[in-house]
């Protein structure tokens, strides 16, 4: 469900004609619908309305401060994974007591930055990280609030690059080793154990792996009480899937309905870290056909967006619907829609049926709001796109298109 729909034969973002945005801001262009992301945020909030919880929007999905600020207005906290993400959320004056910090490789500098910023807690991913947090917090004469991220060893049945809760993944601490870590943590003077964190993967479409994980953790929490360790927060991560094509992911309500009974007796505050669920379908990548090229085996549409703008198809073989901005009655053709980058892996969609298209035609790559711009790069010295946020019939430039000067402004020629 989103607000990118046709009115007559023209695709709109909410009440704005996408032709107008392409004209005004140029292409390629990320266009976001505020109403779509707001409704998705509210779906999670209402599904868990009867539960003591904090929703921490996962910044990595889309980290534009224009979007983070809208999340803050909705009452969201933030899940961060780097000093850079912390900088972003502090810039929009996010409440530090709603910031949780995960990631396997936090540096001392990042830990210090987060401690000085008084974040709610670190999600600790290894024993050595725990010891470093203890040291840094001693230096600052603080006590660091932590959750231990446990790897529950469940199968999330998603793409192997985005599964995180199996024992061969680098994330979290194996559930069989975690008990001992809690014992160690309890003895560290500058550590305050607050919770347990699990995040089992991304684009998960069923509730089963969540239940498997929560059942394992419930037993674990009970065992901890024998050591007088009381868990205040259970962070169940993000990962709820969205519809890119034919998937039928659990809705927020179905998800909540299925897992709430398992949470009911735990007497903990829940943290949720949704990213894709909120912004995934709230964004499109608007692109223009540069050339159509008819080959012997294939017809190509070469467009002005490439894998540097949206890497998901190249990296994960991800499917994004590609639809025309202006519907036409021309004959249907089968195209590979490819970017201008010098790599055969630079494609946005393969073997897609579209009306015959030509230079100048506009296409919308759907479901590009999560892990789109945030994973974009300057490969082939391409300028990163502009981003526009649509609200009703208004549109706001929330990131300017880069310039050639931007490309080299940090570089230097040696004598
Ligand atoms: N919490 C933690 C600790 C995470 O690692 C992630 C995502 C999330 C929350 C948010 O997950 P979400 O609700 O968005 O599924 N680039 C990949 C996705 C990588 C996800 C990484 N971690 C993609 O484009 O599919």
């Amino acid at each position: 469900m989103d607000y990118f729909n046709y009115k007559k034969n023209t695709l709109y973002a909410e009440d704005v004609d996408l032709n107008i945005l392409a004209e005004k801001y140029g292409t390629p262009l990320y266009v976001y619908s505020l109403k779509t992301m707001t409704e998705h945020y509210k779906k999670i909030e209402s599904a868990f309305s009867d539960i003591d919880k904090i929703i921490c929007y996962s910044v990595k999905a889309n980290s534009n401060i224009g979007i983070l600020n809208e999340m803050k207005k909705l009452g969201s906290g933030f899940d961060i994974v780097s000093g850079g993400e912390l900088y972003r959320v502090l810039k929009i004056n996010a409440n530090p007591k709603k910031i949780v910090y995960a990631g396997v490789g936090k540096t001392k500098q990042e830990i210090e930055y987060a401690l000085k910023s008084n974040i709610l807690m670190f999600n600790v991913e290894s024993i050595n990280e725990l010891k470093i947090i203890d040291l840094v917090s001693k230096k600052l004469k603080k006590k660091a609030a932590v959750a231990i991220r446990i790897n529950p060893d469940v199968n999330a049945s998603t793409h192997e690059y985005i599964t995180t809760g199996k024992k061969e993944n680098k994330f979290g601490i194996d559930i069989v080793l975690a008990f001992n870590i809690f014992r160690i943590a309890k003895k560290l003077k500058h550590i305050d154990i607050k919770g347990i964190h699990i995040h089992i993967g991304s684009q998960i479409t069923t509730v089963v792996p969540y239940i498997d994980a929560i059942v394992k953790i419930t037993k674990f929490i009970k065992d901890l009480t024998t050591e007088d360790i009381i868990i205040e927060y259970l962070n169940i991560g993000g990962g709820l899937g969205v519809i890119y094509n034919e998937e039928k992911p659990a809705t927020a309500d179905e998800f909540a309905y299925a897992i709430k009974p398992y949470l009911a007796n735990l007497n903990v505050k829940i943290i949720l870290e949704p990213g894709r669920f909120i912004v995934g379908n709230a964004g499109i990548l608007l692109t223009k056909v540069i050339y159509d090229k008819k080959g012997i085996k294939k017809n190509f549409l070469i467009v002005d967006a490439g894998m540097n703008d949206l890497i998901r198809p190249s990296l994960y073989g991800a499917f994004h619907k590609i639809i025309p901005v202006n519907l036409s009655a021309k004959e249907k053709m089968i195209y590979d829609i490819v970017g201008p980058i010098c790599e055969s892996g630079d494609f946005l969609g393969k073997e897609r049926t579209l009306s015959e298209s030509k230079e100048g035609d506009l296409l919308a790559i759907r479901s590009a709001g999560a892990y789109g711009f945030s994973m974009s790069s300057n490969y082939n010295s391409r300028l990163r796109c502009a981003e526009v946020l649509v609200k009703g019939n208004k549109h706001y430039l929330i990131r300017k298109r880069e310039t050639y000067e931007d490309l080299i402004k940090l570089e230097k020629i040696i004598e």
Side-chain angles (χ1 to χ4, degrees):
M1 201 281 313
D2 61 57
Y3 291 94
F4 296 96
N5 292 311
Y6 288 100
K7 293 189 188 175
K8 298 224 170 95
N9 290 325
T10 304
L11 189 62
Y12 277 65
E14 300 189 13
D15 300 323
V16 178
D17 179 341
L18 287 169
N19 291 288
I20 291 178
L21 295 183
E23 178 76 19
K24 181 165 167 81
Y25 303 106
T27 55
L29 180 72
Y30 273 99
V31 181
Y32 307 116
S33 150
L34 181 58
K35 191 166 177 185
T36 311
M37 59 185 85
T38 302
E39 285 189 7
H40 280 87
Y41 179 88
K42 289 190 170 160
K43 280 182 191 182
I44 297 203
E45 193 175 52
S46 97
F48 287 93
S49 60
D50 49 348
I51 277 210
D52 193 9
K53 61 163 188 318
I54 309 179
I55 299 174
C56 291
Y57 166 70
S58 190
V59 172
K60 64 181 83 62
N62 189 320
S63 44
N64 186 298
I65 56 170
I67 287 176
L68 299 181
N69 196 47
E70 295 305 318
M71 290 296 138
K72 185 187 84 170
K73 286 191 212 161
L74 290 167
S76 188
F78 297 97
D79 152 48
I80 59 166
V81 288
S82 69
E85 288 190 349
L86 177 57
Y87 179 78
R88 285 177 178 277
V89 295
L90 294 176
K91 270 284 162 197
I92 58 140
N93 291 319
N95 177 355
K97 288 295 160 218
K98 285 188 180 176
I99 299 174
V100 292
Y101 187 171
V104 293
K106 305 175 190 82
T107 65
K108 279 184 193 152
Q109 291 80 357
E110 288 176 313
I111 291 166
E112 184 163 338
Y113 183 23
L115 279 170
K116 285 182 174 161
S117 308
N118 296 315
I119 65 164
L120 178 63
M121 72 182 88
F122 293 94
N123 294 324
V124 175
E125 309 233 13
S126 64
I127 180 72
N128 288 336
E129 180 194 333
L130 184 71
K131 289 179 180 162
I132 293 293
I133 295 177
D134 182 57
L135 271 182
V136 179
S137 93
K138 180 174 178 192
K139 184 179 111 188
L140 298 179
K141 299 192 177 62
K142 289 195 168 234
K143 208 160 178 168
V146 304
I148 305 291
R149 176 164 178 184
I150 293 185
N151 182 332
D153 192 26
V154 294
N155 188 358
S157 307
T158 184
H159 190 283
E160 62 166 321
Y161 285 8
I162 55 176
T163 180
T164 47
K166 281 184 68 66
K167 59 178 177 289
E168 52 271 39
N169 300 135
K170 68 179 175 179
F171 299 98
I173 294 168
D174 288 325
I175 190 155
V176 288
L177 305 176
F179 201 77
N180 203 30
I181 308 278
F182 276 90
R183 277 201 192 119
I184 297 172
K186 200 182 162 199
K187 290 197 194 114
L188 295 172
K189 288 207 180 64
H190 297 271
I191 294 288
D192 183 11
I193 310 170
K194 286 273 183 200
I196 291 180
H197 177 221
I198 47 174
H199 168 79
I200 53 178
S202 195
Q203 185 55 16
I204 301 171
T205 50
T206 82
V207 296
V208 178
Y210 287 97
I211 293 175
D212 290 351
I214 293 168
V215 166
K216 286 190 176 183
I217 295 300
T218 303
K219 173 163 183 323
F220 190 86
I221 291 177
K222 248 183 223 133
D223 292 349
L224 282 178
T225 55
T226 62
E227 298 278 320
D228 276 338
I229 298 173
I230 306 298
I231 295 303
E232 215 180 305
Y233 290 90
L234 173 60
N235 182 335
I236 58 172
L240 253 197
V242 304
I243 302 173
Y244 285 98
N245 190 22
E246 315 260 86
E247 306 86 339
K248 290 196 174 58
T251 63
D253 277 338
E254 286 163 355
F255 175 61
Y257 183 79
I259 68 167
K260 272 195 282 195
Y262 295 89
L263 302 174
N265 301 321
L266 283 176
N267 200 21
V268 288
K269 192 165 181 157
I270 299 298
I271 298 177
L272 298 134
E273 302 176 328
R276 188 190 318 261
F277 183 84
I278 294 175
V279 287
N281 278 313
I284 58 141
L285 175 57
L286 188 59
T287 183
K288 191 183 272 176
V289 176
I290 309 176
Y291 298 111
D292 73 286
K293 177 170 170 177
K294 296 196 173 71
I296 295 172
K297 227 179 150 193
K298 292 248 181 189
N299 296 319
F300 295 101
L301 286 179
I302 301 162
V303 299
D304 63 3
M307 66 189 283
N308 72 300
D309 301 302
L310 179 67
I311 202 174
R312 302 194 71 259
S314 310
L315 188 58
Y316 314 113
F319 182 94
H320 287 257
K321 280 189 183 157
I322 303 180
I323 58 174
V325 168
N326 300 297
L327 290 174
S328 94
K330 285 195 193 140
E331 189 191 338
K332 297 277 188 230
M333 307 264 294
I334 295 175
Y335 289 112
D336 275 12
I337 293 137
V338 301
I341 286 183
C342 302
E343 302 244 2
S344 297
D346 176 29
F347 64 91
L348 296 161
K350 288 192 171 165
E351 298 184 357
R352 303 300 180 86
T353 305
L354 281 171
S355 295
E356 186 170 14
S357 306
K358 56 172 192 335
E359 178 194 337
D361 287 351
L362 290 171
L363 300 174
I365 303 165
R366 287 176 59 82
S367 315
Y371 308 107
F373 187 91
S374 64
M375 292 181 83
S376 69
S377 77
N378 290 114
Y379 187 42
N380 276 201
S381 286
R382 287 167 48 79
L383 307 176
R384 273 182 296 173
C385 323
E387 296 174 281
V388 166
L389 182 61
V390 169
K391 182 178 180 186
N393 60 8
K394 299 204 171 62
H395 41 93
Y396 304 89
L397 183 65
I398 56 170
R399 184 178 162 112
K400 286 190 210 160
R401 187 173 306 283
E402 289 180 348
T403 64
Y404 288 144
E405 294 85 77
D406 291 331
L407 276 182
I408 56 160
K409 72 179 173 213
L410 301 174
E411 299 174 16
K412 218 168 172 178
I413 295 168
I414 59 169
E415 294 304 313

